Amino acid sequence: MMKTDNQKAWFLVLPVLILVAFSAVIPLMTVVNYSVQDTFGSNQFFWAGLTWFDEMLHSERMWNALGRQIVFSGIILAIEVPLGIFVALNMPKKGFWASFCLVLMSLPLLIPWNVVGTIWQIFGRVDIGLLGYTLDALGIDYNYTQGFYAAWATVITMDVWHWTSLVALLAYAGLQSIPDAYYQAAKIDQASRWAVFRYIELPKMRGVLTIAILLRFMDSFKIYTEPFVLTGGGPGNATTFLSIDLVKMALGQFDLGPAAAFSLMYFLVIMVISYVFYIVMTNLDKEEGGK
């Protein structure tokens, strides 16, 4: 007798599907609707087709924001991933200090994004901030509200302070999964510290590092709250990343059609680059496993 599948289990996930539909699918469809129409208010819409997409593709403003965003995300990954690995390698493995370090590393991750921006906004002020006052006392010309390089340095330092802990904790979890027998064998073979890292620790961290890189790329590529609170996108457009530019276009200028097309292209770029990252890292993992 043929066994029939029980489809009643679908009712258990139905509430989640409904929630996703209301929180993700419906808003997305609304954005798609705005991206192909134009409106002059009073809920009067006129078909625009791909006009807004074409306008955004030829928008110097959008390409400049994209360039700043790519540079920012590249710098963030280049700093936070190696720094997070270094911190994880030097954290205690057992005992009280291991627990203490884990709690200490978790603290920045618990602070809300707008609070992080406010903390660094005060911290960098020359009159009352410890960082700004110290640099000014040392004779260093530092003003993140007026200087291009000062603004970038402050935003990058803020993000590194906030999110390096995530990479360190993920790398630490990968290191904890390595059996002691591996280290004992390496000690017997008199392997160097670099050899232990290259052939034992790094392969075991590859999976969690893939997750860390994907998370940090996606989060850094859509960063908004921290730089907006800190610099407001300035000075000028120095720290106006894609998300800040999108909000200015949608809410500041109320250009809903171009903003909707902008947001869909923004979403597509994140999806494509994240997929490329995932494929590259997965292939590297397979190559290492096949050796």
Side-chain angles (χ1 to χ4, degrees):
M1 183 175 64
M2 183 179 293
K3 183 179 179 181
T4 59
D5 294 330
N6 188 351
Q7 302 294 332
K8 294 181 179 179
W10 283 102
F11 288 101
L12 298 176
V13 298
L14 185 61
V16 176
L17 294 177
I18 295 175
L19 181 62
V20 170
F22 276 101
S23 62
V25 177
I26 292 178
L28 179 61
M29 291 301 99
T30 303
V31 173
V32 172
N33 180 53
Y34 273 104
S35 69
V36 294
Q37 298 192 73
D38 193 8
T39 178
F40 297 102
S42 301
N43 289 325
Q44 296 181 3
F45 292 91
F46 306 91
W47 178 257
L50 300 179
T51 302
W52 303 130
F53 290 93
D54 182 68
E55 180 180 317
M56 288 296 100
L57 286 174
H58 294 85
S59 172
E60 183 180 355
R61 169 182 173 179
M62 191 200 75
W63 287 109
N64 290 338
L66 178 61
R68 288 189 291 269
Q69 191 71 69
I70 292 175
V71 171
F72 175 77
S73 295
I75 293 174
I76 289 302
L77 291 177
I79 295 176
E80 292 182 7
V81 174
L83 182 59
I85 295 174
F86 176 79
V87 172
L89 290 173
N90 289 277
M91 287 175 62
K93 300 298 185 290
K94 298 178 181 178
F96 167 80
W97 290 110
S99 301
F100 177 80
C101 288
L102 288 174
V103 173
L104 188 65
M105 295 298 293
S106 301
L107 289 179
L109 303 177
L110 301 177
I111 304 176
W113 297 334
N114 58 329
V115 176
V116 171
T118 303
I119 290 174
W120 280 85
Q121 184 186 57
I122 298 173
F123 189 54
R125 288 181 56 174
V126 178
D127 52 351
I128 60 174
L130 179 61
L131 175 63
Y133 182 82
T134 302
L135 293 177
D136 184 66
L138 294 174
I140 299 176
D141 185 17
Y142 170 80
N143 191 331
Y144 67 86
T145 62
Q146 297 180 6
F148 175 88
Y149 294 106
W152 267 82
T154 307
V155 171
I156 290 171
T157 305
M158 174 181 63
D159 196 88
V160 170
W161 173 83
H162 192 193
W163 289 110
T164 300
S165 297
L166 176 64
V167 181
L169 291 175
L170 289 172
Y172 184 81
L175 291 173
Q176 289 296 91
S177 66
I178 302 176
D180 291 336
Y182 284 42
Y183 291 105
Q184 294 172 3
K187 186 176 182 180
I188 293 173
D189 293 338
Q190 296 183 341
S192 64
R193 184 66 187 89
W194 168 252
V196 172
F197 173 74
R198 174 67 179 83
Y199 296 105
I200 296 178
E201 295 172 331
L202 186 59
K204 288 295 182 181
M205 289 191 294
R206 193 177 297 278
V208 293
L209 286 180
T210 301
I211 297 173
I213 291 174
L214 285 173
L215 289 177
R216 287 308 305 127
F217 165 74
M218 289 188 292
D219 190 67
S220 66
F221 206 80
K222 59 186 181 64
I223 189 172
Y224 171 76
T225 306
E226 298 99 311
F228 180 78
V229 173
L230 179 64
T231 65
N237 291 323
T239 56
T240 300
F241 303 120
L242 283 172
S243 57
I244 297 177
D245 201 28
L246 177 59
V247 171
K248 288 182 177 179
M249 184 182 297
L251 301 181
Q253 302 169 207
F254 209 67
D255 291 334
L256 299 182
F262 189 169
S263 63
L264 290 176
M265 295 166 65
Y266 190 7
F267 172 74
L268 181 62
V269 168
I270 294 176
M271 291 293 293
V272 170
I273 299 180
S274 298
Y275 179 74
V276 171
F277 266 125
Y278 174 77
I279 293 299
V280 170
M281 297 297 292
T282 303
N283 289 338
L284 288 175
D285 194 19
K286 290 180 180 179
E287 290 176 4
E288 289 292 332
K291 292 181 179 179

